[in-house]
Structure formats: C-alpha cells, structure tokens
Amino acid sequence: MAAPSMKERQACWGARDEYWKCLDENTEDASKCKKLRSSFESSCPQQWIKYFDKRRDYLKFKEKFEAGEFQPSKTTAES
C-alpha cells in the first residue's frame, strides 16, 4: 500500500477534525455524527482511523485527569 498523497492526508485530517468537532459539540453522542464518521472512514486508511480513535480516547482521558475529574474504578483504588 502506497503512502497517502498530501491531498489525501489533508482530506483525512479534515474529515477527522470535523468528526471530532461534532463529537465535542454533541457531548460524545456518536449517533448524531454518523455521516461525519462515514466521511472520516472513507477518507483515511484503516490504520490511521484506529490510531486516531485511540488518540482521541487518550486525549479525553488526559483532559479529565488534569481537570481532576478522573475517578479510578473501585478495583484500581483498592489495589
């Protein structure tokens, strides 16, 4: 598989950014962002989608942790 061209990368990043913006505006309600998710998936290589999904999860966790909103699970807190 050849690496995406600059235009393909920009289209992928733009689709990702629009999808993430929709998630932010709809309080993580992915059902309201289905069309943007489809656009994101059709614009990016599958490995990139997997990476970006993990990256978003990490960034949201980090944001909550730094704001002091992270609550560890009971099993984590007890160990």
Side-chain angles (χ1 to χ4, degrees):
M1 179 176 109
S5 69
M6 183 188 299
K7 282 188 177 186
E8 291 169 329
R9 289 191 307 269
Q10 289 173 336
C12 173
W13 296 331
R16 174 206 59 197
D17 293 345
E18 287 296 314
Y19 175 61
W20 284 12
K21 181 180 175 187
C22 179
L23 290 176
D24 288 340
E25 290 172 352
N26 292 291
T27 335
E28 300 296 317
D29 184 1
S31 66
K32 295 181 180 176
C33 305
K34 287 182 181 179
K35 287 183 181 178
L36 292 172
R37 176 70 188 194
S38 294
S39 175
F40 170 49
E41 290 177 351
S42 66
S43 300
C44 299
Q46 190 61 41
Q47 287 180 314
W48 287 23
I49 294 167
K50 188 176 179 179
Y51 169 79
F52 289 141
D53 287 342
K54 287 182 179 182
R55 178 80 178 150
R56 180 171 174 82
D57 289 344
Y58 168 74
L59 292 173
K60 289 299 176 181
F61 164 79
K62 183 179 174 187
E63 189 178 287
K64 285 182 179 180
F65 186 80
E66 289 176 347
E69 298 172 6
F70 175 72
Q71 298 295 324
S73 66
K74 283 186 175 183
T75 55
T76 304
E78 292 172 0
S79 55

